[in-house]
Every structure is written in C-alpha cells, then in structure tokens.
Amino acid sequence: MSEPLTTGGDATGTDTEGGDVTGTDAADRHAALADRAAELDAADKLAAVRDRFVLDGTVYLDGNSLGALSTGVLPRLTEVVGREWGELRIRSWEESGWWTAPERIGDRIAPLVGAAPGQVVVGDSTSVNVFKALVAAVRMAPEGRDEILVDAATFPTDGYIAQSAARLTGRTVRAVPAAEIAAEAGATTAVALVNHVDYRTGRLHDLRGITAALHQAGALAVWDLCHSAGALPVSLDADAVDLAVGCTYKYLNGGPGAPAYLYVRQELQPRFDSPLPGWNSHADPFSMAAGYEAADGAARGRVGTPEILSLLALDAALDVWDGVAVPDVREKSLGLTDYFLECVAALVPAGRLESVTPRAHAERGSQVSLRCADAGAVMRELTARGVVGDYRRPDVLRFGFTPLYTRYADALRAARVLATVLEGTA
C-alpha cells in the first residue's frame, strides 16, 4: 500500500496547505535539517565502522543490491592468490583451511541471523540454495501435503524455483500475499517460501508469527533473508525457522556474485535430503564411492568444489562486523530511513512522490521505496549527480540504507538532490 508523504512545504517555498512561505523559511528549513544531520552523525555509535570501507564522495544508497567494498578484502585476496594459490597451490586445501571454509564462514554469518554454530553453510547461489531448501522441505513434510505456498510479491527467481521444485516433487504452487500466508496455511500445505523483506517496497514481514502459524498447520517454513540479514535482527533459532537462505553481496558486503548461505535447523539436519547431492556433501568425499551417503550436519548443504576466491573475499568482508551489535545496526537503520523520509517530505515538491515503504518500524526493512513518474530517468539523473540508488520498473525509486557506512548527512544530501532533480522535471 502506498502512503502519501506528509510535508511541511516544498523546496521552492510553497506550503502544501496552499499558503506561501518565504525564501527565508526555506533556508531555515534546510539549516534545521543540516543541524539535525550533524547532531545525529555525532551521536552515531557506528560512525567509526565507516572507515572500514572503501568510499568516495558518492552518496551510495544501493547497498541493498551490492554492498560497498571493505578495506580488508583486497589485501586478503592478494594473499590468497599470491601465496595460498600461487605458492602453496593444492596444499592450501588443508594448510590454508580451504576445505572447511563453507562451514567456518557459515559460523561467522550465524550470529547475524540468530543461529547457533553448525547450522549455516556457505556456497552456491541464492537460487540454488532456495531449490535445495524447498525440495528438502517437501521431502520432510508429512505425507499427503501437496501444496507449496509462495509469497505473491516474491523476487521472481524464488517463484521460478518454486515452480520447478513443484514439478520435480509432484506438488502445486499457490501464490499468496505474505501477510495472508499464516491464515492460508492448512492441511494440504507442505511448505511456504517467504521473503523476510520485500525487495521492491522494503516491507518487513512477521517471521516469527508466520513461522508459528505454519508449524501450527503442520507445514515447514523456508525464509529468504536476502534483504534483511546484516540490516536488522534475525532470530532463526529462537523463532524455530526450519530452513533459510540468503545472499551475501548486499548488506553483508561480500562482493558481486558472492556465494549465498543455507541454514538448516539442527533438529532437521538428519532428515535434510538435498536434491543436489554432490561429492562435497558425501560422508566420505574422497572415497569416490558410487553410492551416496550424506555427511552429518550443515555440510549436507554442500554440493561441489567450494568457490574459494569469492568465499575468502566474503570471509574478509565479514571482518567489518567485529565489535558491531546488530541491535545498534537496526536502531541506526530506522533512524536513517525516518530521517530520509522527513527530509524528502520537507524538500521535495508536493505531490511528486508517494512512499510504498511502511512507516511503522515493525513493518520496515532498511530501504525506502518511493513511487515516482519517470523513475528510470530520475534515477539516472540522481546517479549523474552523485547519488546512487536504483529503480524497479515501472515507477519505483529504491534507496537502500546500509547502517555500517551510511551517514545522516548522506540521507540529507540525497533528499536535496532528489528535490532538485524533480524541480527540474516538473
């Protein structure tokens, strides 16, 4: 649902209630917003973390698509390529710990998604892990359950994968709005695939409540965490989530195409029957046995040879989380998005934008999505002026706020440039 932006006046000095304000009033408004940004940045608990990233003068608000490069990645990759690959070569599988990287790095991600060690494995793409999770969930579901529920507003690939999983397992797929999945789950439901945060609108869904309702109906829950992990608290263990997947190149800053992760709740691991068994998930990989015997634990989620360079780049990127508390990240995320919406309402010409991101904190991820005519052209102009977000056709501007490196001053600058661009296209 779209929400109008409540404004106190536009950037040209016309009050939204129809009265005129003076240029002095507009200047005072700008000054007040700048003072608040300075105060908020000065009080920011995460301000020093920004120095752990490679940044420039650009206001980068697209971390919900690709996170910024951290300063530790290039030195680490130089070491991996030059010494571990270049000198140690095959010895690095054991001597440099390459073989255990999927589980070791999974254990580093685990605290960011509220999981105990031994339940997260890193490797393959999000799409591949969604496929593993869905098919395995169907295989674990009680007999006679022939339906897979899918978040109707899901990222398209999740829907494609669900259809493929249904064909493979003889089930059917039914698309349901995420908010209605709890009520729609019933005796025929095997599993539901739900996005924690809607990629288009930034709406945060009720992971705990939906999971509990699915379990009450005797079904399993698979969650897509791509737009939440690293931006807000996730409690997979506490909320008894069955399986979850997520990418690492957004708020976890792992780099373009960085490997995804798969969470399998510990109690379900002995029953996790992957549709993609590979030698890397075999109980005795180097036996080269003709018959497959699954490994114990999260390693069942592995398939083939790990993608070492990208895995170790991710490993280095995760160093930025040292000493960072996820609740502080969430507090700043909500502060940034609140402040950005306030600035947009105060500065952007009235009637030009409509928010599709919920105002309620309990329903908001870490992005602001604004409906705008000619959104593609507007975003291209913003990018040309040093404010980088993205848009989703036909008319949604998306601004992702990564609390580890985004400042309140960045939010203000983005709103000011957006106002200027929209004034020029009036």
Side-chain angles (χ1 to χ4, degrees):
M1 178 183 294
S2 300
E3 300 186 28
L5 286 164
T6 304
T7 72
D10 67 18
T12 58
T14 303
D15 186 79
T16 54
E17 298 301 321
D20 292 332
V21 295
T22 67
T24 300
D25 290 334
D28 288 346
R29 187 183 306 121
H30 281 261
L33 289 171
D35 287 345
R36 284 202 57 226
E39 292 172 3
L40 290 166
D41 281 330
D44 179 12
K45 300 174 187 175
L46 302 175
V49 181
R50 179 179 168 86
D51 294 335
R52 301 176 188 178
F53 291 89
V54 178
L55 300 168
D56 53 24
T58 300
V59 173
Y60 188 66
L61 300 180
D62 208 8
N64 54 330
S65 287
L66 176 64
L69 172 67
S70 66
T71 57
V73 170
L74 183 56
R76 177 65 177 124
L77 279 181
T78 300
E79 177 187 12
V80 170
V81 172
R83 172 163 170 73
E84 295 181 12
W85 180 13
E87 297 178 12
L88 296 179
R89 294 178 284 274
I90 197 71
R91 293 162 53 193
S92 278
W93 286 104
E94 291 188 6
E95 295 181 28
S96 301
W98 287 2
W99 184 259
T100 58
E103 290 80 26
R104 177 173 54 80
I105 299 171
D107 283 347
R108 297 194 70 188
I109 291 173
L112 302 179
V113 294
Q119 299 176 103
V120 179
V121 63
V122 181
D124 305 312
S125 68
T126 306
S127 302
V128 170
N129 283 319
V130 168
F131 182 72
K132 296 177 200 172
L134 268 186
V135 174
V138 169
R139 291 174 174 174
M140 288 188 282
E143 291 188 14
R145 304 253 173 170
D146 61 3
E147 183 178 70
I148 299 172
L149 298 183
V150 177
D151 176 357
T154 190
F155 189 76
T157 296
D158 285 15
Y160 307 155
I161 295 293
Q163 291 288 350
S164 179
R167 290 194 299 272
L168 179 69
T169 60
R171 268 63 175 184
T172 60
V173 172
R174 182 159 63 100
V176 177
E180 298 175 18
I181 284 178
E184 290 290 328
T188 62
T189 306
V191 58
L193 172 62
V194 197
N195 288 268
H196 196 194
V197 174
D198 186 288
Y199 78 99
R200 182 183 295 271
T201 67
R203 179 176 291 276
L204 174 65
H205 295 130
D206 181 7
L207 185 146
R208 174 178 292 180
I210 293 173
T211 299
L214 287 166
H215 288 171
Q216 183 67 30
L220 283 82
V222 176
W223 284 89
D224 184 328
L225 307 179
C226 285
H227 287 268
S228 56
L232 52 89
V234 182
S235 303
L236 295 181
D237 284 355
D239 294 336
V241 168
D242 301 302
L243 302 120
V245 301
C247 68
T248 62
Y249 48 79
K250 301 183 192 300
Y251 296 110
L252 298 184
N253 310 295
Y261 57 90
L262 170 67
Y263 165 89
V264 183
R265 183 156 54 90
Q266 190 164 16
E267 302 93 300
L268 297 181
Q269 290 174 2
R271 298 168 53 206
F272 181 82
D273 182 9
S274 175
L276 296 173
W279 79 286
N280 253 239
S281 61
H282 196 284
D284 185 6
F286 291 97
S287 69
M288 303 301 170
Y292 180 74
E293 180 185 349
D296 292 331
R300 288 188 174 211
R302 292 173 68 151
V303 183
T305 304
E307 48 274 80
I308 290 300
L309 296 183
S310 53
L311 267 172
L312 298 183
L314 168 62
D315 193 22
L318 291 172
D319 289 347
V320 302
W321 289 93
D322 291 348
V324 173
V326 175
D328 290 343
V329 173
R330 179 58 169 164
E331 180 183 3
K332 184 177 176 184
S333 166
L334 292 172
L336 282 167
T337 49
D338 277 344
Y339 178 69
F340 178 68
L341 284 167
E342 177 187 345
C343 291
V344 169
L347 302 176
V348 170
R352 298 302 306 276
L353 296 171
E354 192 174 25
S355 176
V356 296
T357 299
R359 289 189 177 277
H361 285 181
E363 299 176 0
R364 187 194 308 165
S366 197
Q367 73 183 54
V368 172
S369 295
L370 303 173
R371 181 163 287 133
C372 173
D374 299 320
V378 169
M379 186 54 70
R380 285 191 291 274
E381 185 60 27
L382 285 171
T383 300
R385 298 184 186 211
V387 175
V388 178
D390 68 9
Y391 84 102
R392 289 293 178 263
R393 291 185 287 181
D395 60 359
V396 173
L397 301 171
R398 296 197 319 168
F399 300 94
F401 290 83
T402 304
L404 299 186
Y405 54 78
T406 305
R407 301 171 298 191
Y408 288 90
D410 298 327
L412 175 56
R413 180 179 160 197
R416 282 175 166 169
V417 174
L418 178 59
T420 300
V421 169
L422 291 176
E423 288 168 22
T425 60

